[in-house]
Amino acid sequence: MESTSTTPSVEDIKKRESSSRDVNSPADAPFGGRLLVDESAVFEQNAWDHATWGEEQEQNARNEIARQSLNPVPQELVETYHAEAAENWNKFYAKNENKFFKDRHWLRIEFPELFHMIEAEAGEKNVMEIGCGAGNTMFPLLIESKNPSLFVYACDFSSTAVEVVKNNPEYDPKRGKAFVWDLGGDDIPPEVEPESMDVLVLIFVLSALHPDRWEHAMNNLYKLLKPGGLIVFRDYGRYDMAQLRFKKNRLLSDNFYVRGDGTRVYFFESEEIVKLFGSRFTIEQNAVDRRLIVNRLRKVKMYRVWLQGKFRKPLVGQAPGSPSETTVRTDESGVEVTDIPVDTSLSLDTPSDSPLLS
C-alpha cells in the first residue's frame, strides 16, 4: 500500500548515495551527499540529508502529539475505520487508478540486493512485493531484468490495486503474478510456497496494519522467506511531518492515525522495529533517514523521517542475530565483502524517497 499524499514529491529529487544513517553511527560520521552546513543556504536546493533536530524541535513535536491526543477519533467510529480498511484502500486506488505509480529511483541505491536478482547469471530467484500498490517495485525489476529465471510476485490488501497491476501493459503472467493478500492475515497466501522467497519487499506497508496484527505479519514473513532470504523495509518514522500535521479526530491510538480518505498509518520508532524483527531475523540494517524538504518558492521547510531496514532469515541451525553467511556488506570503497561482523543490536543506514504526506 502506498501513501495517499499528493503534496510536494521528493521523487523528483535525484540522489546518488544513501541518505540514511545507522542508528549507532557517531553523530559526525559522513553519509549522504546533501548536508546543510550553512543555514543561510537552506533554500538553495530542494532537499537536505541528515536534518538534525534540536531539543526545541523535539519538544514542539511532542507538543503536537499531545494536542492530537486531546481530540482522538470518536470511539464509536474507531471500529468502523478498522472494519472498512480494505474498502477504503479500494476507493483510493479506484479514484487514482495508476496515477500513483512512481519510479523508485532510490531502490538501486538503498537496496542493491534487489538488483542482484535481475542479473543474467543470478539463476532462479523469487521476489515478492508486499503491499504492491501500483507495482512500484515489481515493474522496474521486470523491465530491467536480464535474468530469465526471475519471477516477481505482487500482492496487496486492496483488490483494486491488484487490478491496477494486472492492467499494466508490462504485466506478464509468465514473469510475475499479482493477487490479493493481507500481510496481517492468519497464514501465507496459497499462491506462494512456504520458504520460497529470496527477497521480500516491505515498503510503506507495515504502517498500514493495525498494531494487533504485527505479530501475524512477522510470522508470515518468516514462513515466506527461504533460509538466508532477505526483507528490505522502509516506512514512516516517529515525528515525521505527516504525523505532526494531523488535525483533531484523526488519532486512532498511540501513533496510529486515519487519513481523510479512511486509510490508516502508523509512525514507528527504531526500537519498535528492532523488537518486531529481532526475535526472528538477523538485523543487517536499522536506519533512520531524516530529510529536510524545502519549498523554495514559499520558503517553507518540511521535515521528513523515514526508517529503513534489512532483515535476514537465519540459515538452518543459526539463531537470530548471528551474522548470516549470505550477508553482503560493502567497504568504504563500495567493494562487496562478506566477512564484516554485523552489528545486531541496532544497525542503521537508510534509503531516500518514499510516498509522501497524508
Side-chain angles (χ1 to χ4, degrees):
M1 295 165 201
E2 300 289 348
S3 156
T4 58
S5 166
T6 54
T7 20
S9 174
V10 287
E11 297 291 347
D12 297 328
I13 305 170
K14 302 297 186 294
K15 57 192 227 117
R16 297 180 181 178
E17 52 190 298
S18 175
S19 54
S20 305
R21 179 187 291 277
D22 187 293
V23 290
N24 287 334
S25 294
D28 59 351
F31 96 111
R34 303 165 296 186
L35 301 182
L36 180 61
V37 178
D38 179 2
E39 182 64 31
S40 66
V42 65
F43 294 111
E44 291 184 5
Q45 62 183 42
N46 295 329
W48 301 93
D49 297 324
H50 186 43
T52 56
W53 284 32
E55 177 54 35
E56 182 178 356
Q57 191 169 0
E58 289 274 358
Q59 186 58 52
N60 288 340
R62 290 191 287 269
N63 291 342
E64 284 299 304
I65 302 302
R67 173 189 59 78
Q68 294 166 351
S69 68
L70 297 176
N71 294 282
V73 173
Q75 194 57 43
E76 64 270 18
L77 295 179
V78 171
E79 289 308 315
T80 300
Y81 283 125
H82 293 328
E84 297 178 351
E87 183 56 32
N88 287 329
W89 279 108
N90 284 338
K91 290 177 181 177
F92 168 71
Y93 283 107
K95 178 181 178 180
N96 293 278
E97 296 181 353
N98 62 354
K99 291 182 293 186
F100 204 73
F101 180 82
K102 296 180 180 180
D103 186 357
R104 291 171 170 158
H105 302 285
W106 52 266
L107 280 175
R108 186 180 288 275
I109 297 170
E110 302 297 348
F111 302 132
E113 299 89 346
L114 271 176
F115 292 86
H116 296 167
M117 305 290 111
I118 71 174
E119 295 172 358
E121 305 303 322
E124 184 176 334
K125 298 295 180 182
N126 292 320
V127 175
M128 186 171 175
E129 181 182 11
I130 300 173
C132 61
N136 292 345
T137 298
M138 179 188 208
F139 292 119
L141 287 178
L142 290 177
I143 290 169
E144 290 190 42
S145 180
K146 297 178 177 61
N147 180 3
S149 298
L150 172 70
F151 198 88
V152 181
Y153 295 86
C155 61
D156 202 282
F157 193 35
S158 165
S159 59
T160 305
V162 171
E163 288 306 308
V164 169
V165 171
K166 289 182 175 180
N167 290 330
N168 189 305
E170 297 293 340
Y171 183 72
D172 181 356
K174 295 179 181 178
R175 305 177 64 209
K177 184 172 186 176
F179 52 90
V180 176
W181 180 58
D182 179 3
L183 171 63
D186 292 333
D187 205 351
I188 65 174
E191 292 85 354
V192 180
E193 293 293 324
E195 296 196 326
S196 62
M197 295 296 108
D198 293 283
V199 179
L200 298 176
V201 180
L202 208 64
I203 297 178
F204 298 100
V205 177
L206 199 59
S207 55
L209 293 185
H210 192 293
D212 287 350
R213 307 307 294 179
W214 288 348
E215 281 302 310
H216 289 78
M218 294 299 110
N219 287 336
N220 288 331
L221 295 171
Y222 189 88
K223 290 178 184 177
L224 286 167
L225 270 184
K226 295 177 180 178
L230 183 70
I231 298 169
V232 295
F233 167 88
R234 185 170 174 83
D235 221 318
Y236 295 101
R238 190 70 47 84
Y239 301 156
D240 178 63
M241 176 181 71
Q243 179 179 18
L244 301 183
R245 282 175 44 157
F246 278 110
K247 306 303 181 185
K248 65 179 183 178
N249 303 138
R250 292 297 171 198
L251 182 65
L252 292 164
S253 58
D254 288 349
N255 303 299
F256 193 38
Y257 299 79
V258 60
R259 300 183 180 97
D261 59 9
T263 60
R264 304 170 303 177
V265 59
Y266 187 90
F267 296 84
F268 292 95
E269 287 188 319
S270 293
E271 290 80 1
E272 290 176 308
I273 299 305
V274 171
K275 289 179 181 178
L276 277 173
F277 288 93
S279 63
R280 296 172 178 83
F281 304 96
T282 294
I283 299 176
E284 295 188 355
Q285 182 192 62
N286 177 26
V288 63
D289 183 356
R290 293 185 180 272
R291 196 88 52 81
L292 171 58
I293 309 298
V294 173
N295 184 315
R296 292 190 283 180
L297 180 63
R298 296 169 54 206
K299 303 299 185 202
V300 173
K301 302 178 193 177
M302 298 166 282
Y303 289 89
R304 306 309 311 270
V305 183
W306 299 301
L307 302 185
Q308 178 174 303
K310 298 177 185 179
F311 313 112
R312 183 84 60 179
K313 181 174 179 177
L315 297 174
V316 176
Q318 282 188 332
S322 301
S324 168
E325 294 175 10
T326 58
T327 298
V328 176
R329 311 282 284 174
T330 57
D331 64 15
E332 294 180 356
S333 65
V335 176
E336 289 186 2
V337 292
T338 56
D339 57 351
I340 297 178
V342 178
D343 179 351
T344 58
S345 55
L346 283 178
S347 58
L348 258 223
D349 319 12
T350 301
S352 67
D353 301 340
S354 86
L356 278 167
L357 312 183
S358 52

